[in-house]
Amino acid sequence: MVRLYSIFFVTFLCSICASQGSTSISGAFLASRLSASINDFDKSATYTVDMISKGNKQPEIYNDALLFLVASGNFEEAYSLANTMKKLEIQSPALGLTLVIGEIKEKQFNRALEIMVEFGDQLPDVLKTSIKGWIYVKIGNLDSAIREFSNFRDSELSFDLGSYYSSIAYAQLGEYSKALEMMRGKMKNLKVLGESYEIFRSNILYLSDDVTGALSLLGDDIGSRLDNLTLKKLYDNMKERETVVLDIFKTPETGIADTLILFAGGGNREVNQNLIEIFYCQLAHYISGNEARFNIRLAQALADSNLIDEAINTLMMVEKSHLFYPKSKLMLAELLTESSREELAIKHLRDLIDNDTASFEVYEALGNAYRHRENFELAEIAYSDALVANTHSDFENKKLWLIYFFRGIAREQLDNYEQSMMDLRKALEFVPEQPQVLNYLGYMLIERRENLDEALGMIKLAVKQSPESGYIVDSLAWGLYQLGRYYEAVVPMEKAIELEPEDPIVNDHYGDVLWKVGRKRESYFQWRRALLFAPDEELNSKIQEKLKEGLIDSFGN
């Protein structure tokens, strides 16, 4: 993501750091600080607002409350507090921006421009230029907007944001040929803007009756990505000559939101990465009127901060008719799967399939949900459906290896070893040195005591590719153990336990290796330690037996 003005990010949150040194520390203050440290900004807002209501006049508390209110999505209350702070002449780096966004939302555009003059020294030039330009577009003064956007030339940006926004402004007014003329100019480095640029460019080509050009460039964009369901949906709409409108940048407010998102993704994150990212994403979400693209970006920021329920609720706002709907559902399903709500994930994915979005990506996510739930039979079917769906695609798929890998795992869990090995070897045809696939196949062969030399070679290559993976290093040690090379297994086994000290299987393996090299007292310690980390029922039983009888080989020794 684009990096912008790192100094602003540090300044923006400096009051939070400063307030930690306050000489008057209340229980509510400490509670708000603790809540903020675990990204519970809603509670942090409650505590700080409560302190203000009880008469606390510290500027740091006001600033914290403003930040937390915005970050928790309580913008109306944040706007009210910002106006109070302005009357009290309390300074805050976030104050001017909050007031400007509030005035624009209230359609008080002249007032927003006045506030920008008043707080001009507290707002980054890029943000001021963007907001002014889009206000001019909103009030119908296109010439002033284009002049304002031209000021981006004097910024430190590495891409031509001024021409890009000017093109968008023309498109919003229906002047597609003028927008296309600017798009075909020498705008530099706009590929860094990613999906939004690619969608807008395709929209303009299509609306200018260059359908072939739109499909060609969009096809190139899709081919350069591992997956992008949104671009594929747009491609299909265009190919079928369905009605295409501006899918993004429908209003000037979304232009402002776009710039806010740039700030959410860049800068120096030494202060509070989660808070500042969510702050900007919430502002973008609010000013855009809950537009789908900004819902998804906010949800990603919330999920990255482990605010999973909040992220899920945000994704649920995306409307079914929107271009971004399938993408939002995929992300929703992934979050539900990762939070052990697989049944809900499966329901949302089935809804997509039932509504004509039976794509490779959807079947992949469905397989993942079933696999996560340990329903390997249905996982195998879903992954097979993904491969069938891929045969109907116009594009090369760079993720096929992953489907063969996952289906191989499902088949191994179903004791279908021959087909599992076929899938895993097929995955390696696409990615010959992929460490996870090499490790899984190598470990499976070792456990079955088949092709041990080949298996060990695979795992050695996996370790070379991923030397800091404790599970892969453990596989190497276990392979040496299975070959009877016990003393050689000690060093990688010690490395594995260092990397994965709380894994019950690694601890159990370490105990077995120690037993074989005569360090039996240490073996008992290691097996007891393995029991501390919740081994499954089968492993627990094996460890209990070893603690009673020691390690007994196949000859009863």
Side-chain angles (χ1 to χ4, degrees):
M1 181 54 73
V2 184
R3 295 178 63 80
L4 298 171
Y5 300 104
S6 60
I7 292 175
F8 175 72
F9 290 89
V10 176
T11 304
F12 185 80
L13 291 180
C14 66
S15 64
I16 288 182
C17 299
S19 67
Q20 290 180 343
S22 171
T23 57
S24 177
I25 301 179
S26 68
F29 176 84
L30 293 174
S32 73
R33 186 65 50 208
L34 175 61
S35 297
S37 71
I38 60 174
N39 302 324
D40 192 341
F41 303 124
D42 192 50
K43 282 187 178 179
S44 295
T46 299
Y47 290 130
T48 48
V49 168
D50 183 62
M51 292 169 69
I52 291 170
S53 69
K54 292 178 179 177
N56 192 306
K57 300 296 184 183
Q58 290 177 278
E60 296 92 341
I61 301 302
Y62 275 87
N63 184 67
D64 282 9
L66 184 60
L67 293 171
F68 294 142
L69 284 169
V70 174
S72 60
N74 296 312
F75 194 85
E76 301 298 337
E77 192 173 352
Y79 180 56
S80 175
L81 178 64
N83 279 296
T84 299
M85 291 169 67
K86 187 174 183 297
K87 290 176 184 176
L88 295 174
E89 298 184 347
I90 295 174
Q91 297 298 311
S92 164
L95 178 56
L97 181 57
T98 305
L99 287 170
V100 167
I101 297 299
E103 296 294 349
I104 294 172
K105 194 70 175 178
E106 294 291 325
K107 303 188 185 305
Q108 300 298 315
F109 305 114
N110 289 330
R111 180 66 186 133
L113 291 170
E114 291 171 4
I115 291 173
M116 289 183 67
V117 172
E118 185 178 352
F119 290 87
D121 59 339
Q122 295 183 13
L123 295 170
D125 289 338
V126 168
L127 203 49
K128 284 190 292 185
T129 297
S130 173
I131 293 174
K132 282 184 183 179
W134 288 115
I135 287 177
Y136 289 138
V137 174
K138 187 71 178 180
I139 62 179
N141 192 342
L142 182 60
D143 290 340
S144 294
I146 301 302
R147 281 196 298 273
E148 190 64 42
F149 289 145
S150 70
N151 291 330
F152 282 121
R153 296 194 199 104
D154 301 325
S155 74
E156 298 175 15
L157 295 172
S158 61
F159 51 94
D160 192 354
L161 193 60
S163 295
Y164 181 46
Y165 280 178
S166 295
S167 179
I168 294 167
Y170 281 118
Q172 288 181 356
L173 296 174
E175 297 187 31
Y176 303 126
S177 59
K178 186 67 175 177
L180 182 59
E181 180 184 332
M182 300 205 73
M183 288 289 289
R184 284 176 169 164
K186 296 182 179 179
M187 291 194 290
K188 61 179 183 179
N189 299 334
L190 289 184
K191 291 290 285 185
V192 302
L193 297 174
E195 181 183 68
S196 60
Y197 163 70
E198 291 160 354
I199 293 172
F200 175 72
R201 181 189 60 184
S202 299
N203 281 169
I204 295 306
L205 285 166
Y206 189 95
L207 291 167
S208 301
D209 296 322
D210 187 359
V211 179
T212 302
L215 288 172
S216 176
L217 287 174
L218 194 55
D220 291 342
D221 294 332
I222 294 169
S224 67
R225 296 173 180 270
L226 282 178
D227 61 87
N228 191 309
L229 197 55
T230 304
L231 294 185
K232 289 179 181 178
K233 182 173 175 58
L234 179 59
Y235 183 92
D236 289 340
N237 290 349
M238 290 181 173
K239 191 175 178 181
E240 297 298 323
R241 297 300 180 104
E242 294 183 16
T243 302
V244 173
V245 295
L246 281 180
D247 291 293
I248 55 176
F249 297 116
K250 295 181 179 180
T251 66
E253 287 86 348
T254 57
I256 296 172
D258 185 72
T259 311
L260 291 167
I261 289 301
L262 294 181
F263 276 83
N268 188 318
R269 298 305 181 83
E270 295 178 359
V271 184
N272 189 326
Q273 173 178 348
N274 296 322
L275 175 58
I276 197 165
E277 182 176 10
I278 291 174
F279 176 88
Y280 277 112
C281 287
Q282 287 281 18
L283 286 180
H285 177 251
Y286 179 73
I287 193 66
S288 73
N290 300 339
E291 202 273 342
R293 176 163 65 107
F294 303 106
N295 281 32
I296 291 172
R297 182 62 182 86
L298 172 59
Q300 186 61 64
L302 292 167
D304 290 344
S305 298
N306 205 34
L307 298 170
I308 304 301
D309 287 341
E310 291 85 346
I312 288 170
N313 291 336
T314 301
L315 290 169
M316 293 292 288
M317 297 179 187
V318 179
E319 295 179 0
K320 198 170 189 177
S321 60
H322 203 283
L323 178 69
F324 285 90
Y325 180 75
K327 179 177 181 177
S328 71
K329 283 292 187 180
L330 268 188
M331 185 176 174
L332 175 63
E334 289 170 2
L335 291 176
L336 289 168
T337 298
E338 290 167 6
S339 57
S340 300
R341 286 173 274 186
E342 298 92 349
E343 281 300 314
L344 273 175
I346 291 164
K347 179 182 181 300
H348 284 290
L349 293 168
R350 285 291 180 194
D351 286 345
L352 274 181
I353 293 169
D354 292 341
N355 287 279
D356 298 324
T357 311
S359 70
F360 173 90
E361 292 85 359
V362 175
Y363 282 121
E364 177 193 2
L366 184 62
N368 292 341
Y370 282 129
R371 180 168 55 88
H372 197 272
R373 203 166 188 266
E374 298 187 359
N375 189 333
F376 297 109
E377 289 183 4
L378 291 180
E380 180 188 13
I381 293 171
Y383 291 134
S384 297
D385 288 339
L387 293 172
V388 171
N390 183 69
T391 63
H392 304 301
S393 174
D394 294 333
F395 309 102
E396 178 185 359
N397 194 327
K398 298 180 180 179
K399 290 182 69 179
L400 282 180
W401 73 269
L402 199 56
I403 298 302
Y404 283 109
F405 179 39
F406 288 157
R407 191 173 70 171
I409 292 173
R411 286 175 164 175
E412 186 264 342
Q413 293 292 322
L414 293 169
D415 297 332
N416 189 345
Y417 297 110
E418 292 303 319
Q419 287 197 318
S420 173
M421 283 189 278
M422 287 175 61
D423 276 348
L424 296 172
R425 292 187 187 279
K426 184 68 175 179
L428 289 174
E429 290 180 16
F430 292 99
V431 283
E433 296 186 353
Q434 213 292 325
Q436 298 297 330
V437 183
L438 287 165
N439 179 63
Y440 200 95
L441 179 55
Y443 190 86
M444 187 169 76
L445 290 170
I446 285 169
E447 287 287 283
R448 292 175 57 78
R449 302 192 64 80
E450 296 177 6
N451 304 338
L452 291 178
D453 289 335
E454 179 195 20
L456 193 62
M458 287 180 174
I459 294 171
K460 284 181 177 179
L461 180 55
V463 171
K464 182 180 178 181
Q465 297 297 322
S466 189
E468 297 304 309
S469 170
Y471 301 112
I472 293 177
V473 177
D474 171 69
S475 295
L476 174 59
W478 196 239
L480 292 166
Y481 176 93
Q482 295 284 20
L483 289 169
R485 294 156 62 175
Y486 306 123
Y487 285 93
E488 290 180 61
V490 173
V491 172
M493 198 70 252
E494 289 174 342
K495 176 68 172 177
I497 206 74
E498 177 185 328
L499 293 168
E500 297 292 342
E502 297 182 2
D503 184 87
I505 294 175
V506 176
N507 278 274
D508 176 58
H509 284 175
Y510 190 26
D512 290 5
V513 170
L514 290 171
W515 181 277
K516 288 294 187 179
V517 297
R519 295 160 60 179
K520 296 184 177 180
R521 181 177 296 179
E522 293 173 76
S523 295
Y524 284 113
F525 171 81
Q526 212 61 47
W527 290 327
R528 291 191 186 96
R529 178 176 165 78
L531 293 175
L532 299 175
F533 304 120
D536 63 30
E537 186 176 340
E538 182 181 358
L539 180 58
N540 187 302
S541 177
K542 289 180 179 179
I543 293 172
Q544 296 288 0
E545 189 67 25
K546 284 185 282 192
L547 288 171
K548 292 178 183 177
E549 306 291 342
L551 185 60
I552 300 173
D553 61 26
S554 58
F555 300 102
N557 299 315

